[in-house]
Amino acid sequence: MQSPHIPVLLNEVISSFKSIEKGTILDCTLGYGGHSKALLDANPNLKIIACDRDDTAINFCKEKFKDYGDRISIYKSNFANIINLIDLSDIRGILADIGVSSLQIDLDERGFGLNSSTLDMRMDKNQSFDAKELVNTYSQSELERIFVQFGELPNATTVAKKIIEARKISPITSAKELTNIIGKSNLKNRSVSIAILAFQAIRIEVNKELDELTNLLTSIKNSNINNAILTVISFHSLEDKIVKSQFKEWEKSCICPSFAIRCECGNNHCIGKIITKKPLQATDEEIKQNSRSSCAKLRSFKIERQR
């Protein structure tokens, strides 16, 4: 069964786990199984534990991987909670491909795309809160907050006011209508449209994506996972900043405040080392084949806890 989307940075993902001879890789964001399939095919001694919040993706992958037997186990879970659901003793790799899948964006009924006839944006369709509720109930200050925090929009106030004024006339019910309200013009000196960044902010708020990422990293840090490689693919600066910051903190052995005269923390807090000093990004060739890979960044960390 062919995957309906192209996994980003596929060669880089395979390379990041090439030192793992056997064991289990945890795929925290299964999607449509492109990365998991490539990893299983690259090394017959590997197993995969994978999870996703999307029933469509899970059902697709159960069919896709039916010939792989017990080499892959699939759970319905967000990637922050999967750590608490499985046996971690054999985990030698963790992959988190953060963000919305291309199929979710492309399917009109999911309401992610700028021209969609619905306004949904839920990664888990069983979740009650969706983009339509957000757009029609958030106050102007709440809208401004998410547009600044999650969309980094310099004109957040203007965009929020447009939405407030439009919904006074009638509720906003489709992504296409919302796009027309916001406008499709690009930000000054940038090639990205205001609507795309506003949609990004709404999607992140609906799915609590940054909280999910932070919770996943915290769960990994607090777990007993050891001698494992963590690889994270992010798609915008907010995600990348979280990953970069956490990896730097994980490398520190001493966590005493800078003004401390001497170390009092025990100097034993390092849980490993950063593998990618600079994030890996898509080649020009990959970007030509898949434009969505242009903003992807891959960072890897080797978990080696002090005992």
Side-chain angles (χ1 to χ4, degrees), residues 72-87:
I72 182 167
S73 302
I74 299 173
Y75 292 77
K76 181 174 182 179
S77 170
N78 58 27
F79 49 77
N81 288 335
I82 187 64
I83 295 291
N84 302 315
L85 299 176
I86 62 174
D87 179 6

Side-chain angles (χ1 to χ4, degrees), residues 273-291:
K273 61 182 180 182
I274 296 172
I275 298 173
T276 51
K277 298 302 180 183
K278 292 183 178 181
L280 303 182
Q281 296 181 267
T283 62
D284 291 340
E285 182 179 352
E286 179 177 358
I287 293 171
K288 287 180 182 178
Q289 296 175 349
N290 180 12
S291 61

Side-chain angles (χ1 to χ4, degrees), residues 21-164:
E21 296 181 358
K22 62 180 181 178
T24 301
I25 292 178
L26 171 59
D27 186 348
C28 299
T29 46
L30 175 63
Y32 291 84
H35 288 124
S36 282
K37 184 178 187 304
L39 290 167
L40 289 171
D41 292 344
N43 186 343
N45 296 317
L46 287 180
K47 290 186 176 183
I48 296 284
I49 294 176
C51 71
D52 206 286
R53 288 191 276 176
D54 189 326
D55 288 320
T56 303
I58 290 172
N59 292 333
F60 178 91
C61 284
K62 284 181 177 179
E63 176 67 19
K64 176 174 183 171
F65 291 105
K66 64 182 181 181
D67 295 331
Y68 286 78
D70 65 355
R71 292 189 66 201
I72 182 167
S73 302
I74 299 173
Y75 292 77
K76 181 174 182 179
S77 170
N78 58 27
F79 49 77
N81 288 335
I82 187 64
I83 295 291
N84 302 315
L85 299 176
I86 62 174
D87 179 6
L88 303 176
S89 59
D90 195 44
I91 299 296
R92 295 295 171 262
I94 305 168
L95 172 64
D97 178 4
I98 308 301
V100 64
S101 77
S102 58
L103 189 60
Q104 287 173 330
I105 294 173
D106 293 338
L107 286 174
D108 180 79
E109 66 265 25
R110 301 305 297 269
F112 285 96
L114 298 183
N115 294 313
S116 177
S117 60
T118 60
L119 185 56
D120 192 322
M121 301 193 195
R122 292 172 297 170
M123 292 181 180
D124 181 355
K125 290 164 67 176
N126 293 321
Q127 173 183 308
S128 59
F129 181 64
D130 61 12
K132 184 168 69 174
E133 182 177 348
L134 184 156
V135 167
N136 287 290
T137 64
Y138 268 30
S139 66
Q140 181 173 323
S141 62
E142 288 176 315
L143 289 171
E144 289 178 18
R145 173 185 62 80
I146 67 168
F147 290 150
V148 171
Q149 186 176 356
F150 301 144
E152 300 177 298
L153 275 171
N155 60 338
T157 299
T158 300
V159 175
K161 283 182 178 179
K162 286 182 178 181
I163 293 172
I164 297 295

